[in-house]
Amino acid sequence: MASATKQLTYRRYTSIEFLLGTGLTGTICLLVLFSDLLFPGAGKIDLSARLLPPFITMSHPFGTDPLGRDVLARVVAGGKISLMVGLLSVAGAVVIGVIMGLISGYYRGFWDMIVMRFADVQLALPFILLAITFIAIVGGGLRNMILLLIISQWVQYARLVRGSVLALRDREFIQSAQAIGVGDLNILFRHLLPNLIGPVIVLMTLNVANNILLESSLTFLGLGVDPLTPSWGGMLADGRTYLQNAWWVSFFPGLAILLTVLGLNLLGDWLRDSLDPTGRTSK
Amino acid sequence: MAGFLLRRLFQAIFVVLVVTLVVAFAIRLTGDPALMLTQGAGSVTEEDLARIREALGLNQPFFVQYGNFLLGILHLDFGRSFLGGTPVAMLIGKALPATLMLAFASMLVSIAISIPLGIKAAISRGKWPDQTIRILSLVGLSFPNFWLAIMLVLLFSIFLRWLPPSGMEGFTSFIMPATTIGVILTAYNVRLVRASMLETMQFQYIMVARAKGLSENVVLYKHALRNCAIPLITYFGLQFGGLLGGIVVIERVFNWPGLGTLALDAVAGRDYPVLQGVITVLSMLIVGVNLLVDIAYGLIDPRIRMEGRD
């Protein structure tokens, strides 16, 4: 990782991917973090101000929804759910996937076979179908959705890590560590892990973006977060009913998803190019 | 070659078996279908429940039931819907063509856009058209597909009144759903086309073609594109699974009478035989397409067969 970081030259920090990516992601994270301070009355219902169009009053720049709530404040509040789902699900999947990948790549054998067959099955199933079945059975909600994302994604990290371990395990630095009697745990986490973490970080960034999209799709379908909690997918589903006369109710939450995911994707893309010396030809 | 085919076939069957087993088991966990069937039916005695269980074969051990389900699939019998008692196979038979037609239309849209754009990006590598296409493809990847669909409805059905907002009636109803899915697929495909073209254009036969004085279009479209067609077709084939997943969401926005709508309605109505049937058919379809792509690729490129061996 250390040598990889050194490869990041000045030019890379001024690339459009990096500037736009950090700009978008940073702004959205700050807005969401301080949403309670910025918009104290986010959920306030005001039936006298129903469906106000955007850009007309200063107090409601994005207009109001059918219950007179400020759309801007709700969009910012909805970001909390999306970012939370994105970050927690990726954190869970990384922990499980990296440990499984290290073990199955380093020890091979029976455990390796189980993990890889499991991966085959999961990769053959499109996520949305898995999600529909899972949620039809255990029900929706925030916790179940994070769980579902972890279950369906740890395999990606396990495969990635396993592949790198297979390439690294016979290298001299590992053999010499084994020869001087370094314990297995030490080899796995202090010698192997730092050398393969780069691509894992790239995958994590892209998956936070991806999971925000998945969460909002599921919530939009009515399979995700509780409809009473403000979330981008839920607001879009509500807004659809008013599309004829109040486009802004569904326009702004979608724009928020787009910008957040775009910011993360730009960062992920930039990270991939920065960590990969042959970056320009990668897909 | 026969060994390679057999091994891939067994892997495919294994995947479908595991998927159906997990789904069957999970659905069994949700509770007694006899109780679900009689929900809201007024006074139901214990004997009534017993009779329903007997009729549905629910009193048999789980693995006998699962075996019967598998045997049923061989006769295209997926059981009957809890709601109305229509055979599940009939419901799927009606919905499957709608989903497949939409999938192919979206593929066409995506291929028609991504090949010229990908080639343009590859030949102007590092310059502004390449950068623009690269950023645009990232924007495409970041689009929530259902939001894009809603915005298209807003523009073309509500403001301009050019296209029907929902349903499947005639050619015009295909335009918006196929564009929505096609645009997002294109975001992936442009990068694939660009990468394969860059790889192909390093070969000496491209240099020879140019040295012969052929026009640039002939070099690009006849010599280079044809040579990267095989990996591209493979990628497009492997996308099929993800494509079907995306279609589920888009079908809901456009009220498309396909498998996605069928599955979501089944979830809402707790109609488990329909849900089980749809998931089985979809996973068979995806595994089947992946298998065909693998076999085709193995036939064309012998190195793939060797790789599969360890």
Side-chain angles (χ1 to χ4, degrees), chain B residues 191-267:
Chain B
R191 297 177 155 221
L192 293 176
V193 173
R194 175 183 178 274
S196 339
M197 280 297 279
L198 281 179
E199 214 174 305
T200 311
M201 283 174 29
Q202 291 168 350
F203 289 114
Q204 285 182 343
Y205 57 77
I206 298 295
M207 210 194 297
V208 171
R210 284 196 175 128
K212 281 198 302 189
L214 294 179
S215 79
E216 192 61 19
N217 273 339
V218 175
V219 174
L220 288 177
Y221 284 87
K222 271 191 96 170
H223 293 248
L225 184 61
R226 279 202 185 176
N227 278 293
C228 58
I230 296 164
L232 284 181
I233 289 168
T234 316
Y235 284 128
F236 295 158
L238 291 176
Q239 264 174 3
F240 197 68
L243 177 64
L244 287 176
I247 284 183
V248 170
V249 185
I250 295 306
E251 280 185 4
R252 169 63 26 130
V253 179
F254 290 105
N255 268 326
W256 197 259
L259 288 177
T261 305
L262 193 61
L264 288 170
D265 287 345
V267 172

Side-chain angles (χ1 to χ4, degrees), chain A residues 89-128:
Chain A
S89 60
V90 165
V94 163
V95 172
I96 301 177
V98 166
I99 292 175
M100 291 295 199
L102 283 173
I103 293 174
S104 75
Y106 191 67
Y107 295 108
R108 306 292 311 264
F110 177 73
W111 191 239
D112 185 35
M113 198 193 76
I114 298 278
V115 172
M116 287 304 110
R117 286 292 84 78
F118 207 72
D120 285 346
V121 173
Q122 287 203 354
L123 292 176
L125 255 188
F127 172 81
I128 294 279

Side-chain angles (χ1 to χ4, degrees), chain B residues 277-295:
Chain B
V278 172
I279 288 174
T280 308
V281 168
L282 279 176
S283 62
M284 276 161 65
L285 214 62
I286 293 162
V287 172
V289 170
N290 288 355
L291 181 65
L292 282 181
V293 168
D294 269 7
I295 290 173

